[in-house]
Amino acid sequence: MNEPRKKKSLSPILDQIAHGGSSVALNLIRLTSLASDRHMFRQESLNRTVIFKYPNFEQQIADQPAAPPPSAAKPVAPKSAAAPAQAEPPAPPVPERPIETAIYVPYDSEQIGAGGYGIYLRQREFERLLKDHVGIDFETKSEAFERDVAILRLIDSVPSLDPFLLKSALLKYSADIHPAYFAISESEEESIKSLIASKVNPIVARALGLKDVADVNERSQRFLQALWDPSMPEAKLFVSAFGISGDQATLIFEGWKGVTFYEHTFTRNLHQVAGVLRWLTSNDATPLDIREFKHYKDQQDMFRQAVVKKLRNLISNVNGIFAEYTECHGQFLHGGDAKPFRNFLAGVYRRYWVLGYCSMAVLHTCNIHERFMREAIQNRLRFEQIEDMLKRMDASLSSQANASI
């Protein structure tokens, strides 16, 4: 009886850093060829890192004791295993944020997969770790320092690194940052903004009781501007029309904009998600060499079914939020019932972050499937390939935030 061979491979989180795509990882190293004054950060060592987003995984990312002292940054190792006992866990996440932001400092910037250190933006001793591993000293303030820290905080304020959201978050500095960091064309950006506008305009007119077409267009333009700059008075005026404190305007506008963005991107990628589910539930998911591993067939089948269940749960969460959005949007526009839409707005920031997690996890699962299928023979894989693929999918879909809205 053949036993599955355990081979060395990238840990699930390191796999996301290296292969997760632009919504998961921002590889600053690739753009160090730009003129130094066009680099994102003034601290050059930061430009030789990868900033990444990840759900709050149950499993740890380290697999061996680190060379630095116990309180130092946690290593991101090439393969997954238990974390060393002395490793200090990251601080508990903010409830509204089921996603963490981290700076990955590779041992070798030319070989990201060889391992490195992950510094979490909300972990304890974050400031000291940045000083030790990146050279940023929080005790030595300067204009360049303030700028770099502000950019890091703005990046942490969005649930994923999708170019549209990233550029929107860094609006204050976007003119000062090279367009290559955003990886989005002007036409695509305008298309997304138009989609958001189509959802916002009718709501604005209804909420403010506007009927004159010219008045609707003029006021709507101001509210659309407030979506990108929630400090504008129109933002507070809008939420106040729903009986919500103006102090919540920034979070509500950020969340509303984000939910509409994810509705667009998730719908656009539905065919890819459906394709992964079809494969996982089809006969093609039976290994090519199943006869050699027939004693492990039931075990792998159960694992595959568990992954399918998690994937479907996340899709259900996403669709549930979108359905609620569509229903309350319609009830207010066509029936004049403001209460459902008010309730949606009151929790929209939380929904925004849940969508960020779900969208990132599902799309990364699709990315894993696509990469493994490049080695498929007539749409089928070997037992060990499927086992490795399922482990990576399971890690991507597993989080404390799973099935939580």
Side-chain angles (χ1 to χ4, degrees), residues 1-4 289-301 383:
M1 176 176 67
N2 288 342
E3 293 187 9
D289 52 354
I290 189 59
R291 290 184 180 180
E292 297 178 38
F293 297 96
K294 60 183 179 180
H295 297 285
Y296 296 95
K297 182 181 184 302
D298 289 345
Q299 180 180 328
Q300 188 176 86
D301 285 346
F383 183 93

Side-chain angles (χ1 to χ4, degrees), residues 5 205 374 400:
R5 295 186 299 273
R374 292 171 190 166
Q400 296 167 6

Side-chain angles (χ1 to χ4, degrees), residues 141-162:
K141 303 296 176 66
S142 67
E143 184 178 342
F145 165 86
E146 297 289 353
R147 178 186 179 280
D148 286 354
V149 171
I151 289 176
L152 285 174
R153 286 173 177 160
L154 288 169
I155 291 174
D156 191 41
S157 73
V158 292
S160 67
L161 296 171
D162 292 276

Side-chain angles (χ1 to χ4, degrees), residues 145-398:
F145 165 86
E146 297 289 353
R147 178 186 179 280
D148 286 354
V149 171
I151 289 176
L152 285 174
R153 286 173 177 160
L154 288 169
I155 291 174
D156 191 41
S157 73
V158 292
S160 67
L161 296 171
D162 292 276
F164 178 82
L165 294 179
L166 185 63
K167 188 172 183 179
S168 176
L170 296 177
L171 194 61
K172 181 179 178 182
Y173 298 99
S174 61
D176 188 37
I177 298 174
H178 198 282
Y181 284 104
F182 301 121
I184 186 172
S185 66
E186 288 187 12
S187 61
E188 185 178 2
E189 184 179 2
E190 288 305 315
S191 174
I192 296 173
K193 285 185 176 181
S194 295
L195 176 72
I196 293 174
S198 70
K199 285 278 192 177
V200 173
N201 281 348
I203 288 289
V204 169
R206 182 82 185 195
L208 301 182
L210 304 177
K211 295 183 179 179
D212 182 76
V213 175
D215 197 16
V216 169
N217 290 337
E218 180 183 348
R219 298 292 291 276
S220 294
Q221 284 303 312
R222 293 287 296 171
F223 279 95
L224 285 173
Q225 291 174 28
L227 275 177
W228 317 115
D229 181 10
S231 64
M232 292 176 62
E234 280 78 7
K236 291 186 177 181
L237 178 62
F238 178 83
V239 298
S240 297
F242 285 91
I244 301 173
S245 170
D247 295 340
Q248 298 296 312
T250 297
L251 291 182
I252 286 174
F253 269 50
E254 288 298 321
W256 189 11
K257 177 177 62 181
V259 167
T260 306
F261 167 77
Y262 282 123
E263 184 180 34
H264 163 70
T265 57
F266 200 81
T267 301
R268 185 180 61 185
N269 291 289
L270 265 181
H271 69 283
Q272 186 180 8
V273 179
V276 173
L277 277 173
R278 276 197 305 272
W279 188 88
L280 287 172
T281 56
S282 72
N283 290 332
D284 286 342
T286 302
L288 284 165
D289 52 354
I290 189 59
R291 290 184 180 180
E292 297 178 38
F293 297 96
K294 60 183 179 180
H295 297 285
Y296 296 95
K297 182 181 184 302
D298 289 345
Q299 180 180 328
Q300 188 176 86
D301 285 346
M302 290 176 62
F303 190 16
R304 180 160 50 87
Q305 290 163 10
V307 169
V308 168
K309 182 178 179 180
K310 287 182 180 181
L311 181 55
R312 283 177 169 160
N313 282 345
L314 288 184
I315 294 171
S316 178
N317 280 342
V318 170
N319 288 335
I321 292 176
F322 294 155
E324 181 187 8
Y325 182 23
T326 299
E327 183 176 358
C328 69
H329 191 274
Q331 286 178 334
F332 180 54
L333 286 183
H334 306 302
D337 186 358
K339 185 177 179 180
F341 194 74
R342 180 199 179 281
N343 292 339
F344 182 82
L345 287 180
V348 75
Y349 191 70
R350 168 64 178 170
R351 291 173 173 88
Y352 169 41
W353 278 82
V354 170
L355 281 175
Y357 157 67
C358 292
S359 178
M360 185 169 64
V362 170
L363 291 180
H364 186 61
T365 299
C366 293
N367 179 276
I368 291 170
H369 180 257
E370 180 184 359
R371 284 190 286 118
F372 272 85
M373 293 308 293
R374 292 171 190 166
E375 299 181 14
I377 299 174
Q378 295 183 343
N379 209 37
R380 295 176 66 189
L381 298 169
R382 296 189 302 275
F383 183 93
E384 291 177 357
Q385 290 175 312
I386 295 175
E387 196 74 8
D388 193 13
M389 179 181 68
L390 291 175
K391 287 178 181 177
R392 296 183 184 284
M393 287 180 171
D394 185 63
S396 293
L397 297 168
S398 298

Side-chain angles (χ1 to χ4, degrees), residues 98-166:
I99 295 171
E100 297 288 346
T101 307
I103 300 171
Y104 173 61
V105 187
Y107 298 133
D108 183 346
S109 60
E110 294 185 2
Q111 297 184 52
I112 292 177
Y117 293 97
I119 306 174
Y120 311 104
L121 266 60
R122 290 189 292 275
Q123 78 178 97
R124 290 188 291 272
E125 298 193 355
F126 165 70
E127 296 181 1
R128 184 183 63 77
L129 296 176
L130 266 187
K131 180 180 178 180
D132 291 349
H133 294 278
V134 187
I136 292 183
D137 189 348
F138 280 73
E139 296 179 0
T140 306
K141 303 296 176 66
S142 67
E143 184 178 342
F145 165 86
E146 297 289 353
R147 178 186 179 280
D148 286 354
V149 171
I151 289 176
L152 285 174
R153 286 173 177 160
L154 288 169
I155 291 174
D156 191 41
S157 73
V158 292
S160 67
L161 296 171
D162 292 276
F164 178 82
L165 294 179
L166 185 63

Side-chain angles (χ1 to χ4, degrees), residues 67-84:
S71 59
K74 289 174 282 300
V76 180
K79 68 173 185 177
S80 172

